[in-house]
Amino acid sequence: MIYIKLFWEFFQTGLFAVGGGMATLPFLYSISDRTGWFTHQQLADMIAVSESTPGAIGVNMATYSGYITAGIPGAIISTSGLITPSIIVILLVVAFLNAFHENRYVMGAFYGLRPASSAMITAAGLILARVVFFFGGFTGSVNIKAVILAVVLLAFTHAIAFTKKLHPVIWIAFSAIVGIVFKY
C-alpha cells in the first residue's frame, strides 16, 4: 500500500509542479505534513543533497524521499510517479503542437503559466528560507551561522569580480566545508 501512496503523491506533484524542481517544494512540504514520511529538517537536507548532485532537483528529491520512506523500491516508485505526468504531457504536446503552435489560445496558455510558475518557485524559496534561517519558523530565533554564510556567499558571488566566474561546484564544495567546520 505504501508504494501506491508514494506513486500517487509524487504523480500529483509531477502533474502540478510547473516550473521545475524548486516548484515541487510546496508539494513536498505538504506531503511531509500529511503523511509524516519525512520531517521538514529532512526535507532541507534533501534539498542540499539534491542541489549538490547531478540531475534534476525534482527527480533527486523524489528519489531521496522515496528511499527514506520505503527503501530502493520506494525511490524507484516515487521517481516514476513524479516523471509520469511529464512524459504523458510531452507525448501529448508533441502530438498536437504542430497543429496548434500558431494558435493564440495555446500561446496565451503558455504565457499564463509563467506567473504561476514564478509564484510557486517564490513560495518554495520562502519556505526554504524559513527552514534555513530561523529555528522554529519565522517567529523563532535567527540562525546566525546560516545568515552569515548566506551573506558571505552573496558577497563573493555578486560583489567580488574574480569570484563571479568561479564554477558552481567550487561554491558547493566551499559551502560543504564551511558546514563541516562550523557544524551547521
Side-chain angles (χ1 to χ4, degrees):
M1 193 65 174
I2 188 74
Y3 299 128
I4 294 170
K5 287 181 180 178
L6 271 171
F7 184 86
W8 179 243
E9 288 293 340
F10 283 96
F11 181 85
Q12 292 175 90
T13 301
L15 192 60
F16 295 107
V18 178
M22 293 305 278
T24 65
L25 290 180
F27 295 99
L28 291 171
Y29 278 102
S30 174
I31 291 170
S32 170
D33 293 339
R34 285 184 288 108
T35 65
W37 289 338
F38 44 85
T39 65
H40 285 205
Q41 185 56 50
Q42 287 174 311
L43 191 52
D45 294 341
M46 287 183 224
I47 294 166
V49 169
S50 295
E51 285 284 353
S52 303
T53 55
I57 185 172
V59 173
N60 290 348
M61 296 280 287
T63 305
Y64 192 93
S65 300
Y67 180 77
I68 66 170
T69 303
I72 292 173
I76 294 167
I77 289 168
S78 59
T79 302
S80 298
L82 184 80
I83 65 171
T84 298
S86 297
I87 291 170
I88 293 169
V89 168
I90 288 169
L91 292 174
L92 291 173
V93 167
V94 167
F96 293 103
L97 191 59
N98 286 335
F100 295 105
H101 77 281
E102 297 282 331
N103 185 300
R104 67 183 176 131
Y105 297 112
V106 171
M107 298 305 291
F110 282 122
Y111 186 76
L113 285 174
R114 290 178 189 152
S117 174
S118 297
M120 291 177 75
I121 291 170
T122 301
L126 290 173
I127 291 168
L128 185 58
R130 184 185 71 206
V131 170
V132 171
F133 295 123
F134 297 93
F135 297 113
F138 285 124
T139 59
S141 62
V142 176
N143 184 343
I144 298 298
K145 290 180 187 177
V147 172
I148 291 171
L149 178 59
V151 169
V152 168
L153 285 174
L154 186 65
F156 273 104
T157 58
H158 288 84
I160 301 172
F162 78 91
T163 61
K164 289 181 183 181
K165 297 178 184 176
L166 292 176
H167 196 277
V169 171
I170 293 171
W171 295 113
I172 292 169
F174 172 75
S175 298
I177 291 167
V178 169
I180 292 167
V181 169
F182 291 105
K183 295 180 172 102
Y184 177 67

